[in-house]
Amino acid sequence: MVMKNANSALLAKNANYLQIDHRVKNVMGSKEVIVLPSPAAWEKFAWTRKYFEEKPKEGYFIWVRKQPSAPLSTCVTIASKKVSQNLRNLAVIEKGIKAQANVVCNALENNLCGRHFAKGKLILKDGVSLEYNHLHKWGQKDFVSPDYDFVLGKNTKLIYNYKNLFPPENLNLKTTIFAGENSNCILNFVVNGQNSKIEIKDSVFLEGENSNSIVRLRLVGKKKSQISAISKIIARAPSRGHLDCQGLLVDKFSKISLAPELVCENNKAQITHEASIGRISEEQLTYLRMRGLSEKEAIDLIISGFLEK
Amino acid sequence: MLKVKNLKAKVEEKEILKGVDLEIKRGEIQALLGPNGSGKSVLAQTISGNPKYKITKGEVFFLEKNITRLSPEKRVKLGIVSVWQTPPEIKGVKFSSLLEKISQKQTEAEKMDFSNFLERELNVGFSGGEKKISELLQVLALNPKLVIFDEIDSGLDIKKLQKVAKIIKKELVEKGVSILLITHWGQILEFLKPDWTSVMVDGKIICKAKDFRKVLKTINKYGYEKCKQCSAC
Protein backbone atom coordinates (compact mmCIF):
# COMPACT_ATOMS: atom_id res chain seq x y z
CA MET A 1 0.00 0.00 0.00
CA VAL A 2 2.64 2.51 1.03
CA MET A 3 6.32 2.75 0.34
CA LYS A 4 8.72 1.60 3.00
CA ASN A 5 10.75 4.00 5.16
CA ALA A 6 13.99 2.59 3.90
CA ASN A 7 13.20 4.00 0.48
CA SER A 8 13.14 7.63 1.64
CA ALA A 9 16.91 8.15 1.23
CA LEU A 10 16.77 6.72 -2.26
CA LEU A 11 13.78 8.89 -3.10
CA ALA A 12 15.62 12.01 -1.93
CA LYS A 13 18.59 11.15 -4.12
CA ASN A 14 16.47 10.74 -7.23
CA ALA A 15 13.86 13.35 -6.43
CA ASN A 16 12.43 15.62 -9.11
CA TYR A 17 12.50 18.29 -6.44
CA LEU A 18 14.73 18.32 -3.38
CA GLN A 19 14.67 21.09 -0.80
CA ILE A 20 16.72 21.12 2.40
CA ASP A 21 15.69 23.79 4.91
CA HIS A 22 15.09 26.74 2.52
CA ARG A 23 17.63 25.73 -0.12
CA VAL A 24 16.50 24.14 -3.35
CA LYS A 25 19.10 21.45 -3.95
CA ASN A 26 17.73 19.76 -7.01
CA VAL A 27 15.15 20.46 -9.69
CA MET A 28 14.93 17.74 -12.26
CA GLY A 29 12.33 17.87 -14.98
CA SER A 30 12.02 16.24 -18.36
CA LYS A 31 10.22 16.93 -21.57
CA GLU A 32 7.13 15.28 -20.13
CA VAL A 33 7.29 16.83 -16.66
CA ILE A 34 8.08 20.46 -15.89
CA VAL A 35 9.48 20.99 -12.41
CA LEU A 36 10.17 24.43 -10.95
CA PRO A 37 10.40 26.09 -7.57
CA SER A 38 6.99 27.68 -6.95
CA PRO A 39 8.25 31.33 -7.07
CA ALA A 40 9.71 30.67 -10.54
CA ALA A 41 6.48 29.05 -11.72
CA TRP A 42 4.51 32.09 -10.52
CA GLU A 43 6.74 34.29 -12.69
CA LYS A 44 6.91 32.02 -15.72
CA PHE A 45 3.34 30.71 -15.99
CA ALA A 46 0.70 33.34 -15.28
CA TRP A 47 -2.04 30.66 -15.26
CA THR A 48 -0.60 29.16 -12.08
CA ARG A 49 -1.49 32.30 -10.11
CA LYS A 50 -5.15 31.35 -9.75
CA TYR A 51 -4.03 28.17 -7.99
CA PHE A 52 -1.32 29.70 -5.83
CA GLU A 53 -3.60 32.59 -4.81
CA GLU A 54 -0.62 34.57 -3.49
CA LYS A 55 2.99 34.79 -4.57
CA PRO A 56 4.80 31.81 -3.06
CA LYS A 57 8.11 32.15 -1.21
CA GLU A 58 9.10 28.51 -1.48
CA GLY A 59 7.75 25.15 -2.55
CA TYR A 60 7.52 23.23 -5.79
CA PHE A 61 5.54 23.25 -8.98
CA ILE A 62 5.12 20.09 -11.01
CA TRP A 63 3.35 20.12 -14.33
CA VAL A 64 2.87 16.69 -15.84
CA ARG A 65 2.18 17.47 -19.47
CA LYS A 66 2.66 14.03 -21.00
CA GLN A 67 2.77 10.50 -19.76
CA PRO A 68 5.93 10.22 -17.60
CA SER A 69 8.04 7.10 -17.77
CA ALA A 70 8.94 7.04 -14.07
CA PRO A 71 7.22 7.89 -10.78
CA LEU A 72 7.40 11.52 -9.69
CA SER A 73 9.13 12.28 -6.45
CA THR A 74 9.74 15.19 -4.15
CA CYS A 75 11.58 15.53 -0.89
CA VAL A 76 11.41 18.44 1.50
CA THR A 77 13.69 18.11 4.48
CA ILE A 78 14.53 20.00 7.63
CA ALA A 79 18.20 19.57 8.48
CA SER A 80 19.00 22.56 10.72
CA LYS A 81 17.69 23.82 14.03
CA LYS A 82 14.60 26.05 14.23
CA VAL A 83 13.92 26.21 10.51
CA SER A 84 10.44 27.36 9.58
CA GLN A 85 9.35 26.27 6.13
CA ASN A 86 6.34 27.80 4.47
CA LEU A 87 5.66 25.95 1.26
CA ARG A 88 3.19 26.49 -1.53
CA ASN A 89 3.09 23.42 -3.73
CA LEU A 90 1.20 22.91 -6.94
CA ALA A 91 0.93 19.84 -9.14
CA VAL A 92 -1.08 19.80 -12.33
CA ILE A 93 -1.58 16.58 -14.24
CA GLU A 94 -2.90 16.81 -17.75
CA LYS A 95 -5.73 14.74 -19.22
CA GLY A 96 -5.55 10.97 -19.35
CA ILE A 97 -2.16 10.60 -17.66
CA LYS A 98 -1.45 7.75 -15.31
CA ALA A 99 1.09 8.70 -12.65
CA GLN A 100 2.57 7.82 -9.33
CA ALA A 101 4.01 10.37 -6.92
CA ASN A 102 6.22 9.60 -3.95
CA VAL A 103 6.37 12.59 -1.65
CA VAL A 104 8.62 12.71 1.40
CA CYS A 105 8.66 15.40 4.06
CA ASN A 106 10.97 14.82 6.97
CA ALA A 107 13.40 16.06 9.59
CA LEU A 108 16.87 14.58 9.59
CA GLU A 109 17.19 14.60 13.37
CA ASN A 110 14.93 14.19 16.32
CA ASN A 111 15.48 17.50 18.10
CA LEU A 112 15.58 20.22 15.44
CA CYS A 113 12.46 22.08 16.63
CA GLY A 114 11.47 22.73 13.02
CA ARG A 115 8.25 24.10 11.61
CA HIS A 116 6.86 22.81 8.34
CA PHE A 117 3.83 24.52 6.85
CA ALA A 118 2.69 23.32 3.46
CA LYS A 119 -0.27 24.42 1.44
CA GLY A 120 -0.69 22.36 -1.66
CA LYS A 121 -3.02 21.93 -4.56
CA LEU A 122 -3.20 18.96 -6.88
CA ILE A 123 -5.19 19.33 -10.04
CA LEU A 124 -6.12 16.07 -11.72
CA LYS A 125 -7.58 16.78 -15.12
CA ASP A 126 -10.11 14.47 -16.79
CA GLY A 127 -9.14 10.82 -17.01
CA VAL A 128 -6.08 11.11 -14.77
CA SER A 129 -5.12 8.22 -12.53
CA LEU A 130 -2.78 9.07 -9.65
CA GLU A 131 -1.30 7.10 -6.79
CA TYR A 132 0.05 9.61 -4.31
CA ASN A 133 2.25 8.22 -1.54
CA HIS A 134 2.86 10.83 1.12
CA LEU A 135 5.43 9.83 3.71
CA HIS A 136 6.15 11.90 6.80
CA LYS A 137 8.96 11.31 9.26
CA TRP A 138 9.52 13.98 11.91
CA GLY A 139 11.45 14.69 15.04
CA GLN A 140 9.83 14.83 18.44
CA LYS A 141 9.97 18.63 18.71
CA ASP A 142 8.68 19.59 15.27
CA PHE A 143 5.47 21.38 14.35
CA VAL A 144 3.92 20.27 11.09
CA SER A 145 0.88 21.57 9.29
CA PRO A 146 0.11 20.32 5.78
CA ASP A 147 -3.05 21.48 4.07
CA TYR A 148 -3.70 19.85 0.70
CA ASP A 149 -6.55 20.17 -1.79
CA PHE A 150 -7.10 17.61 -4.51
CA VAL A 151 -9.32 18.68 -7.39
CA LEU A 152 -10.49 15.63 -9.34
CA GLY A 153 -11.79 16.07 -12.88
CA LYS A 154 -14.12 13.73 -14.74
CA ASN A 155 -13.29 10.02 -14.74
CA THR A 156 -10.28 10.45 -12.52
CA LYS A 157 -8.88 8.03 -10.01
CA LEU A 158 -6.89 8.98 -6.93
CA ILE A 159 -5.28 6.71 -4.36
CA TYR A 160 -3.84 8.83 -1.59
CA ASN A 161 -1.71 7.07 1.01
CA TYR A 162 -0.58 9.21 3.91
CA LYS A 163 1.75 7.43 6.29
CA ASN A 164 3.30 8.92 9.40
CA LEU A 165 5.03 6.46 11.69
CA PHE A 166 7.28 9.13 13.24
CA PRO A 167 4.99 12.03 14.03
CA PRO A 168 6.09 15.45 15.29
CA GLU A 169 5.11 16.99 18.59
CA ASN A 170 2.25 18.74 16.80
CA LEU A 171 0.61 17.68 13.58
CA ASN A 172 -2.31 19.45 11.94
CA LEU A 173 -3.19 17.54 8.82
CA LYS A 174 -5.89 18.93 6.60
CA THR A 175 -6.96 17.26 3.38
CA THR A 176 -9.82 18.27 1.11
CA ILE A 177 -11.00 16.42 -1.95
CA PHE A 178 -13.31 17.85 -4.59
CA ALA A 179 -14.52 14.85 -6.54
CA GLY A 180 -15.84 15.41 -10.06
CA GLU A 181 -18.11 13.31 -12.24
CA ASN A 182 -17.32 9.58 -12.26
CA SER A 183 -14.25 10.14 -10.15
CA ASN A 184 -13.03 7.60 -7.66
CA CYS A 185 -10.85 8.29 -4.66
CA ILE A 186 -9.44 6.14 -1.93
CA LEU A 187 -7.76 7.87 0.99
CA ASN A 188 -5.67 5.94 3.50
CA PHE A 189 -4.35 7.75 6.55
CA VAL A 190 -1.95 5.84 8.77
CA VAL A 191 -0.67 7.68 11.83
CA ASN A 192 1.26 6.20 14.72
CA GLY A 193 0.99 8.78 17.49
CA GLN A 194 3.82 8.85 20.03
CA ASN A 195 4.13 11.79 22.39
CA SER A 196 2.16 13.79 19.87
CA LYS A 197 -0.76 16.12 19.58
CA ILE A 198 -2.41 15.30 16.31
CA GLU A 199 -5.37 16.90 14.59
CA ILE A 200 -6.65 15.42 11.38
CA LYS A 201 -9.37 16.95 9.27
CA ASP A 202 -10.29 15.35 6.02
CA SER A 203 -13.25 16.30 3.88
CA VAL A 204 -14.44 14.75 0.66
CA PHE A 205 -16.93 16.73 -1.40
CA LEU A 206 -18.69 14.34 -3.77
CA GLU A 207 -19.67 16.97 -6.31
CA GLY A 208 -19.90 15.04 -9.55
CA GLU A 209 -22.48 12.47 -10.55
CA ASN A 210 -21.32 8.88 -9.84
CA SER A 211 -18.32 10.04 -7.88
CA ASN A 212 -17.29 7.75 -5.08
CA SER A 213 -14.88 7.72 -2.22
CA ILE A 214 -13.58 5.49 0.53
CA VAL A 215 -11.68 7.04 3.42
CA ARG A 216 -9.75 4.82 5.84
CA LEU A 217 -8.15 6.13 8.99
CA ARG A 218 -5.87 3.99 11.12
CA LEU A 219 -4.69 5.86 14.17
CA VAL A 220 -2.54 4.54 16.99
CA GLY A 221 -2.31 6.44 20.26
CA LYS A 222 0.64 5.66 22.46
CA LYS A 223 3.06 7.42 24.81
CA LYS A 224 0.70 10.18 25.95
CA SER A 225 -0.64 11.07 22.51
CA GLN A 226 -3.70 13.20 21.97
CA ILE A 227 -5.31 12.46 18.63
CA SER A 228 -8.39 14.05 17.22
CA ALA A 229 -9.76 13.23 13.78
CA ILE A 230 -12.74 14.67 12.00
CA SER A 231 -13.46 12.77 8.85
CA LYS A 232 -16.22 14.06 6.65
CA ILE A 233 -18.01 13.17 3.43
CA ILE A 234 -20.37 15.68 1.86
CA ALA A 235 -22.49 14.23 -0.93
CA ARG A 236 -23.80 16.88 -3.29
CA ALA A 237 -24.54 14.64 -6.27
CA PRO A 238 -25.77 11.08 -6.80
CA SER A 239 -22.69 9.43 -5.40
CA ARG A 240 -21.36 6.92 -2.91
CA GLY A 241 -18.97 7.30 -0.02
CA HIS A 242 -17.76 5.37 2.98
CA LEU A 243 -15.73 6.35 6.02
CA ASP A 244 -13.83 3.69 7.91
CA CYS A 245 -12.19 5.18 10.99
CA GLN A 246 -10.35 2.97 13.45
CA GLY A 247 -8.22 3.82 16.41
CA LEU A 248 -6.04 1.69 18.63
CA LEU A 249 -5.28 3.03 22.07
CA VAL A 250 -2.09 1.50 23.41
CA ASP A 251 -1.46 3.24 26.71
CA LYS A 252 -3.65 4.66 29.42
CA PHE A 253 -2.27 8.21 29.07
CA SER A 254 -3.28 8.66 25.43
CA LYS A 255 -6.56 9.81 24.00
CA ILE A 256 -8.17 9.32 20.60
CA SER A 257 -11.24 11.14 19.44
CA LEU A 258 -12.81 10.04 16.16
CA ALA A 259 -15.64 11.95 14.58
CA PRO A 260 -16.95 10.62 11.30
CA GLU A 261 -19.44 13.03 9.77
CA LEU A 262 -21.78 12.46 6.86
CA VAL A 263 -23.59 15.28 5.11
CA CYS A 264 -26.02 14.30 2.38
CA GLU A 265 -27.40 16.99 0.12
CA ASN A 266 -28.66 14.71 -2.62
CA ASN A 267 -31.37 12.09 -2.22
CA LYS A 268 -29.68 9.73 -4.68
CA ALA A 269 -26.44 9.61 -2.75
CA GLN A 270 -25.47 6.83 -0.39
CA ILE A 271 -22.91 7.51 2.28
CA THR A 272 -22.01 5.33 5.23
CA HIS A 273 -19.48 5.18 8.02
CA GLU A 274 -17.98 2.90 10.63
CA ALA A 275 -15.80 3.95 13.51
CA SER A 276 -14.22 2.13 16.40
CA ILE A 277 -11.49 2.59 18.96
CA GLY A 278 -10.03 -0.54 20.44
CA ARG A 279 -7.23 -1.64 22.66
CA ILE A 280 -4.73 -4.47 22.62
CA SER A 281 -6.19 -7.37 24.54
CA GLU A 282 -4.22 -9.13 27.27
CA GLU A 283 -5.04 -12.42 25.60
CA GLN A 284 -3.42 -11.38 22.31
CA LEU A 285 -0.34 -10.13 24.16
CA THR A 286 0.03 -13.30 26.20
CA TYR A 287 -0.46 -15.44 23.12
CA LEU A 288 2.36 -13.69 21.27
CA ARG A 289 4.58 -13.76 24.35
CA MET A 290 4.02 -17.51 24.46
CA ARG A 291 5.43 -17.53 20.95
CA GLY A 292 8.64 -16.03 22.27
CA LEU A 293 8.06 -12.32 21.56
CA SER A 294 8.81 -9.80 24.27
CA GLU A 295 5.91 -7.60 25.38
CA LYS A 296 7.26 -4.71 23.28
CA GLU A 297 7.73 -6.90 20.21
CA ALA A 298 4.20 -8.24 20.64
CA ILE A 299 2.74 -4.71 20.90
CA ASP A 300 4.72 -3.56 17.84
CA LEU A 301 3.52 -6.55 15.81
CA ILE A 302 -0.11 -5.91 16.73
CA ILE A 303 0.26 -2.19 15.92
CA SER A 304 1.90 -2.81 12.56
CA GLY A 305 -0.87 -5.28 11.71
CA PHE A 306 -3.50 -2.74 12.70
CA LEU A 307 -1.91 0.02 10.62
CA GLU A 308 -1.65 -2.17 7.53
CA LYS A 309 -5.17 -3.46 7.85
CA MET B 1 12.96 -32.37 32.18
CA LEU B 2 9.79 -30.82 33.66
CA LYS B 3 8.97 -31.07 37.35
CA VAL B 4 5.85 -29.53 38.82
CA LYS B 5 5.78 -29.64 42.61
CA ASN B 6 2.63 -29.10 44.65
CA LEU B 7 1.48 -26.34 42.31
CA LYS B 8 -1.41 -24.16 43.41
CA ALA B 9 -2.73 -21.39 41.20
CA LYS B 10 -5.72 -19.10 41.15
CA VAL B 11 -7.50 -16.82 38.75
CA GLU B 12 -9.40 -13.84 40.12
CA GLU B 13 -9.31 -15.22 43.67
CA LYS B 14 -10.63 -18.63 42.62
CA GLU B 15 -8.23 -21.46 43.28
CA ILE B 16 -8.07 -23.73 40.23
CA LEU B 17 -4.94 -25.79 40.76
CA LYS B 18 -4.96 -27.32 44.21
CA GLY B 19 -1.56 -28.96 44.51
CA VAL B 20 -0.45 -30.54 41.24
CA ASP B 21 2.58 -32.82 41.00
CA LEU B 22 3.79 -33.78 37.57
CA GLU B 23 7.04 -34.99 36.07
CA ILE B 24 7.88 -35.41 32.40
CA LYS B 25 11.18 -36.91 31.32
CA ARG B 26 13.11 -36.14 28.13
CA GLY B 27 11.46 -37.67 25.06
CA GLU B 28 8.46 -38.85 27.06
CA ILE B 29 4.83 -38.53 25.97
CA GLN B 30 2.38 -37.98 28.76
CA ALA B 31 -1.36 -37.69 28.43
CA LEU B 32 -3.51 -35.72 30.82
CA LEU B 33 -7.21 -36.55 30.91
CA GLY B 34 -9.94 -34.92 32.90
CA PRO B 35 -13.45 -33.53 32.76
CA ASN B 36 -14.21 -29.98 31.65
CA GLY B 37 -13.25 -27.45 34.27
CA SER B 38 -10.88 -29.80 36.09
CA GLY B 39 -7.94 -27.40 35.57
CA LYS B 40 -6.10 -29.08 32.67
CA SER B 41 -5.89 -25.94 30.52
CA VAL B 42 -4.98 -23.81 33.53
CA LEU B 43 -2.14 -26.20 34.27
CA ALA B 44 -0.92 -25.90 30.66
CA GLN B 45 -1.11 -22.11 30.78
CA THR B 46 0.53 -21.90 34.20
CA ILE B 47 3.45 -24.09 33.13
CA SER B 48 3.82 -21.77 30.11
CA GLY B 49 3.79 -18.66 32.30
CA ASN B 50 0.46 -17.02 31.47
CA PRO B 51 0.39 -14.05 33.88
CA LYS B 52 -3.39 -14.37 34.20
CA TYR B 53 -2.87 -17.32 36.53
CA LYS B 54 -1.25 -16.47 39.85
CA ILE B 55 0.86 -19.16 41.48
CA THR B 56 0.13 -19.20 45.21
CA LYS B 57 2.22 -22.21 46.15
CA GLY B 58 4.57 -24.76 44.66
CA GLU B 59 7.28 -24.63 42.04
CA VAL B 60 7.93 -25.43 38.40
CA PHE B 61 11.34 -26.68 37.28
CA PHE B 62 12.47 -27.08 33.69
CA LEU B 63 15.88 -28.55 32.86
CA GLU B 64 16.77 -28.27 36.56
CA LYS B 65 16.01 -24.54 36.52
CA ASN B 66 13.32 -23.01 38.71
CA ILE B 67 11.04 -21.22 36.23
CA THR B 68 8.16 -20.50 38.60
CA ARG B 69 8.53 -16.72 38.19
CA LEU B 70 9.89 -16.64 34.64
CA SER B 71 8.11 -14.63 31.90
CA PRO B 72 6.34 -16.62 29.16
CA GLU B 73 8.78 -15.48 26.46
CA LYS B 74 11.77 -16.67 28.51
CA ARG B 75 10.13 -20.06 28.98
CA VAL B 76 9.77 -20.29 25.20
CA LYS B 77 13.47 -19.53 24.83
CA LEU B 78 14.19 -22.41 27.23
CA GLY B 79 12.09 -24.71 25.05
CA ILE B 80 8.55 -24.83 26.48
CA VAL B 81 5.87 -24.19 23.89
CA SER B 82 2.16 -24.64 24.34
CA VAL B 83 -0.56 -25.05 21.77
CA TRP B 84 -3.66 -23.09 22.62
CA GLN B 85 -7.05 -24.68 22.59
CA THR B 86 -8.64 -21.45 21.27
CA PRO B 87 -5.98 -19.11 19.93
CA PRO B 88 -7.08 -15.46 19.70
CA GLU B 89 -7.65 -13.71 16.37
CA ILE B 90 -5.17 -10.94 15.67
CA LYS B 91 -6.49 -8.81 12.84
CA GLY B 92 -4.08 -7.32 10.37
CA VAL B 93 -1.14 -9.48 11.49
CA LYS B 94 -0.23 -11.91 8.76
CA PHE B 95 0.56 -15.44 9.76
CA SER B 96 3.79 -15.13 7.80
CA SER B 97 4.83 -12.01 9.81
CA LEU B 98 4.63 -13.97 13.04
CA LEU B 99 6.45 -16.98 11.60
CA GLU B 100 9.23 -14.74 10.30
CA LYS B 101 9.63 -13.20 13.74
CA ILE B 102 9.75 -16.42 15.68
CA SER B 103 11.62 -18.67 13.32
CA GLN B 104 15.31 -18.72 12.52
CA LYS B 105 14.85 -21.30 9.82
CA GLN B 106 12.74 -21.37 6.68
CA THR B 107 9.15 -21.96 7.58
CA GLU B 108 7.84 -25.45 7.80
CA ALA B 109 4.62 -24.23 6.21
CA GLU B 110 5.95 -24.39 2.67
CA LYS B 111 7.54 -27.75 3.28
CA MET B 112 4.25 -29.18 4.49
CA ASP B 113 2.14 -27.64 1.77
CA PHE B 114 0.38 -25.14 4.03
CA SER B 115 1.75 -22.12 2.22
CA ASN B 116 -1.79 -20.86 1.56
CA PHE B 117 -1.86 -19.96 5.27
CA LEU B 118 0.98 -17.53 5.09
CA GLU B 119 -0.80 -14.47 3.73
CA ARG B 120 -3.84 -14.84 5.96
CA GLU B 121 -4.44 -12.83 9.09
CA LEU B 122 -3.45 -14.69 12.24
CA ASN B 123 -6.27 -17.04 13.30
CA VAL B 124 -8.85 -14.75 11.68
CA GLY B 125 -11.65 -16.85 10.20
CA PHE B 126 -9.63 -20.05 10.60
CA SER B 127 -11.69 -23.20 10.84
CA GLY B 128 -11.15 -25.51 13.83
CA GLY B 129 -8.76 -27.67 11.83
CA GLU B 130 -6.89 -24.70 10.40
CA LYS B 131 -6.32 -23.32 13.89
CA LYS B 132 -4.70 -26.57 14.95
CA ILE B 133 -2.45 -26.65 11.90
CA SER B 134 -1.52 -23.01 12.46
CA GLU B 135 -0.62 -23.74 16.08
CA LEU B 136 1.42 -26.75 15.05
CA LEU B 137 3.37 -24.76 12.47
CA GLN B 138 4.23 -22.15 15.10
CA VAL B 139 5.36 -24.87 17.48
CA LEU B 140 7.68 -26.35 14.87
CA ALA B 141 9.12 -22.92 14.08
CA LEU B 142 10.06 -22.50 17.75
CA ASN B 143 12.26 -25.58 17.96
CA PRO B 144 10.83 -26.76 21.30
CA LYS B 145 12.04 -29.23 23.89
CA LEU B 146 8.63 -29.66 25.52
CA VAL B 147 5.29 -29.11 23.81
CA ILE B 148 2.01 -28.88 25.68
CA PHE B 149 -0.92 -29.66 23.42
CA ASP B 150 -4.19 -28.41 24.85
CA GLU B 151 -7.02 -30.29 23.13
CA ILE B 152 -5.20 -30.55 19.81
CA ASP B 153 -7.74 -33.23 18.86
CA SER B 154 -10.90 -31.18 19.45
CA GLY B 155 -12.69 -30.09 16.30
CA LEU B 156 -10.70 -32.42 14.06
CA ASP B 157 -12.25 -35.21 12.04
CA ILE B 158 -10.47 -38.56 12.05
CA LYS B 159 -8.59 -37.86 8.82
CA LYS B 160 -7.22 -34.51 10.02
CA LEU B 161 -6.45 -36.00 13.41
CA GLN B 162 -4.37 -38.66 11.70
CA LYS B 163 -2.54 -35.99 9.72
CA VAL B 164 -1.81 -33.92 12.84
CA ALA B 165 -0.67 -36.99 14.77
CA LYS B 166 1.63 -37.93 11.89
CA ILE B 167 3.26 -34.49 11.95
CA ILE B 168 3.64 -34.61 15.75
CA LYS B 169 5.25 -38.03 15.51
CA LYS B 170 7.63 -37.19 12.69
CA GLU B 171 8.63 -33.67 13.67
CA LEU B 172 8.56 -33.91 17.46
CA VAL B 173 8.40 -37.41 18.91
CA GLU B 174 11.07 -38.86 16.63
CA LYS B 175 13.31 -35.91 17.43
CA GLY B 176 13.12 -36.57 21.17
CA VAL B 177 10.79 -33.71 22.10
CA SER B 178 8.78 -34.30 25.28
CA ILE B 179 5.04 -33.98 24.99
CA LEU B 180 2.16 -33.29 27.33
CA LEU B 181 -1.11 -34.13 25.63
CA ILE B 182 -4.19 -32.67 27.22
CA THR B 183 -7.35 -34.26 25.94
CA HIS B 184 -10.74 -35.35 27.09
CA TRP B 185 -11.77 -37.81 24.48
CA GLY B 186 -8.59 -39.73 24.07
CA GLN B 187 -8.68 -40.75 20.43
CA ILE B 188 -5.35 -39.08 19.66
CA LEU B 189 -3.77 -41.38 22.26
CA GLU B 190 -4.26 -44.31 19.88
CA PHE B 191 -2.00 -42.55 17.39
CA LEU B 192 0.63 -41.26 19.80
CA LYS B 193 0.62 -43.95 22.50
CA PRO B 194 1.66 -42.06 25.63
CA ASP B 195 4.23 -43.46 28.06
CA TRP B 196 2.11 -42.29 30.98
CA THR B 197 -1.49 -41.18 31.35
CA SER B 198 -2.70 -39.06 34.25
CA VAL B 199 -6.16 -38.00 35.25
CA MET B 200 -6.98 -34.61 36.71
CA VAL B 201 -10.10 -33.91 38.72
CA ASP B 202 -10.89 -30.70 40.60
CA GLY B 203 -7.41 -29.21 40.35
CA LYS B 204 -5.48 -32.33 41.35
CA ILE B 205 -3.94 -35.27 39.55
CA ILE B 206 -5.63 -38.27 41.04
CA CYS B 207 -4.25 -41.10 38.95
CA LYS B 208 -1.17 -41.93 36.90
CA ALA B 209 -0.92 -45.10 34.87
CA LYS B 210 1.16 -46.72 32.14
CA ASP B 211 -1.65 -48.21 30.12
CA PHE B 212 -3.81 -45.46 28.63
CA ARG B 213 -6.38 -47.98 27.35
CA LYS B 214 -7.11 -49.17 30.87
CA VAL B 215 -7.53 -45.59 32.08
CA LEU B 216 -9.90 -44.80 29.22
CA LYS B 217 -11.86 -47.97 29.90
CA THR B 218 -12.29 -47.06 33.56
CA ILE B 219 -13.35 -43.51 32.73
CA ASN B 220 -15.85 -44.76 30.18
CA LYS B 221 -17.29 -47.27 32.60
CA TYR B 222 -17.28 -45.44 35.93
CA GLY B 223 -16.51 -41.80 35.18
CA TYR B 224 -13.49 -39.72 36.22
CA GLU B 225 -14.23 -39.84 39.94
CA LYS B 226 -13.63 -43.59 40.07
CA CYS B 227 -10.18 -43.33 38.53
CA LYS B 228 -8.51 -43.42 41.91
CA GLN B 229 -9.81 -46.89 42.54
CA CYS B 230 -9.11 -48.37 39.13
CA SER B 231 -6.71 -51.24 38.57
CA ALA B 232 -4.60 -49.31 36.05
CA CYS B 233 -2.89 -47.09 38.63
Side-chain angles (χ1 to χ4, degrees), chain A residues 212-267:
Chain A
N212 70 76
S213 173
I214 296 172
V215 181
R216 289 192 197 98
L217 264 80
R218 296 292 179 268
L219 310 172
V220 171
K222 62 178 182 182
K223 295 184 186 169
K224 296 183 188 171
S225 288
Q226 305 289 310
I227 303 176
S228 150
I230 301 171
S231 192
K232 197 168 174 180
I233 293 182
I234 304 100
R236 291 180 171 163
S239 54
R240 293 166 79 93
H242 182 67
L243 295 174
D244 170 8
C245 310
Q246 291 187 36
L248 183 68
L249 204 56
V250 178
D251 72 331
K252 55 184 173 186
F253 304 108
S254 295
K255 181 181 167 184
I256 300 178
S257 146
L258 286 178
E261 191 180 341
L262 304 176
V263 180
C264 197
E265 297 174 7
N266 187 293
N267 66 0

Side-chain angles (χ1 to χ4, degrees), chain A residues 281-295 297 301-306 308-309, chain B residues 45 48 50-51 71-73 76-77 82 84 87-93 98 102 123 135 138 142:
Chain A
S281 78
E282 284 300 322
E283 192 190 23
Q284 289 176 336
L285 267 187
T286 305
Y287 179 71
L288 293 174
R289 289 178 73 192
M290 283 199 196
R291 297 294 173 257
L293 304 189
S294 68
E295 191 168 344
E297 286 172 330
L301 183 66
I302 294 170
I303 288 174
S304 67
F306 170 80
E308 294 296 331
K309 206 168 41 169
Chain B
Q45 293 282 320
S48 302
N50 188 334
S71 69
E73 57 269 33
V76 175
K77 300 274 186 289
S82 64
W84 284 40
E89 295 188 345
I90 306 183
K91 287 184 180 167
V93 174
L98 177 63
I102 65 178
N123 300 325
E135 289 289 285
Q138 293 174 50
L142 286 164

